[in-house]
Amino acid sequence: MADHMWDLWMERAKPLVPVIVIKDPDEAVPLARALVDGGVRMLEVTLRTEHGLGAIETIKQEVPEAIVGVGTVTSAQQMLDALNKGAEFVVSPGSSDALLDCAKEWGGPYLPGVATPSDVMRAREAGFTYQKFFPAGVAGGIPMLKALSGPFGDVKFCPTGGIGQENYQDYLALSNVFAVGGSWLTPADLQSARNWQAISSLAIAG
Ligand code: 3PG
């Protein structure tokens, strides 16, 4: 299992994972460049639009400092397609046997989505001790993460969903949180206005 990759990346990058939605393929490179220039290097490019897969490939080629992963992966086929495009990590909002099996076979860094103790146990049994806690805000937020640290002291989480400028540091302060993710670093209005400087400033502030 490649869980050690998360530790390695955390030594080299800010513990912030922007959840990226590419609406126009031309946005991919300047957006990635703006984030990387602001010190945010782990980029989760979601498959929520048809441009996600292409953006992974383009960013990998054009912004080599970025660590490019794929998000919103809900099937094994999507995982394989993204890996073929060069995705370095994989994130899913929940998990399934098919996803866990596929990720195990790949052997790379995969964050299965979890929201309950049973989810945590299932993903851990499959060998994944780094997990995405989603949707963090409505699944119990900080009190839930504190509660999970008791029985699951060996599991580390990247909470996403409902996290923003106002509370991300509170999440990062938890001992079982290794990174936080979300869309607050790439606000849709700034992205569609192509205000890369403002996005860079958000990344710098993070
Ligand atoms: C995710 O996929 O992690 C979430 O959609 C991000 O949630 P947010 O938009 O509330 O940050």
Side-chain angles (χ1 to χ4, degrees), residues 19 44 46 48 71-72 91 93 132 134 159-164 181-184:
V19 172
E44 177 187 329
T46 64
R48 290 178 205 187
T72 321
V91 185
K132 163 173 168 138
F134 176 80
T160 79
I163 297 179
S183 57
W184 87 93

Side-chain angles (χ1 to χ4, degrees), residues 134-186:
F134 176 80
V138 291
I142 287 173
M144 178 65 158
L145 284 160
K146 283 186 180 162
L148 291 172
S149 72
F152 307 116
D154 57 334
V155 179
K156 297 228 180 291
F157 298 96
C158 176
T160 79
I163 297 179
Q165 201 69 44
E166 67 294 348
N167 60 358
Y168 79 92
Q169 276 164 332
D170 298 333
Y171 278 94
L172 274 179
L174 300 176
S175 59
N176 59 345
V177 167
F178 72 96
V180 295
S183 57
W184 87 93
L185 287 161
T186 53

Side-chain angles (χ1 to χ4, degrees), residues 24 30 63-64 71 74 82 95 105 120 123 127 147 150-151 154 158 163 185 187 189 200:
D24 173 344
V63 190
T74 56
S95 72
E105 192 151 327
V120 174
D154 57 334
C158 176
I163 297 179
L185 287 161
D189 54 339
S200 239

Side-chain angles (χ1 to χ4, degrees), residues 14-179:
K14 285 189 187 180
L16 305 176
V17 185
V19 172
I20 295 173
V21 178
I22 298 290
K23 296 210 177 93
D24 173 344
D26 291 342
E27 295 169 350
V29 168
L31 177 63
R33 171 59 56 207
L35 290 164
V36 165
D37 286 349
V40 171
R41 296 179 54 212
M42 299 198 60
L43 311 183
E44 177 187 329
V45 180
T46 64
L47 300 185
R48 290 178 205 187
T49 67
E50 59 188 311
H51 306 302
L53 281 179
I56 291 169
E57 197 169 32
T58 321
I59 296 169
K60 286 264 301 179
Q61 280 163 4
E62 306 286 328
V63 190
E65 310 94 304
I67 301 160
V68 189
V70 61
T72 321
V73 170
T74 56
S75 74
Q77 190 57 52
Q78 286 180 322
M79 190 182 299
L80 295 174
D81 290 346
L83 294 175
N84 276 333
K85 297 287 186 191
E88 293 163 88
F89 65 90
V90 177
V91 185
S92 56
S95 72
S96 66
D97 290 340
L99 283 171
L100 291 168
D101 287 349
C102 187
K104 259 203 299 198
E105 192 151 327
W106 168 45
Y110 168 54
L111 284 187
V114 301
T116 67
S118 297
D119 294 345
V120 174
M121 289 166 68
R122 204 162 139 270
R124 188 175 62 166
E125 269 171 29
F128 299 96
T129 54
Y130 284 69
Q131 305 176 358
K132 163 173 168 138
F133 178 53
F134 176 80
V138 291
I142 287 173
M144 178 65 158
L145 284 160
K146 283 186 180 162
L148 291 172
S149 72
F152 307 116
D154 57 334
V155 179
K156 297 228 180 291
F157 298 96
C158 176
T160 79
I163 297 179
Q165 201 69 44
E166 67 294 348
N167 60 358
Y168 79 92
Q169 276 164 332
D170 298 333
Y171 278 94
L172 274 179
L174 300 176
S175 59
N176 59 345
V177 167
F178 72 96

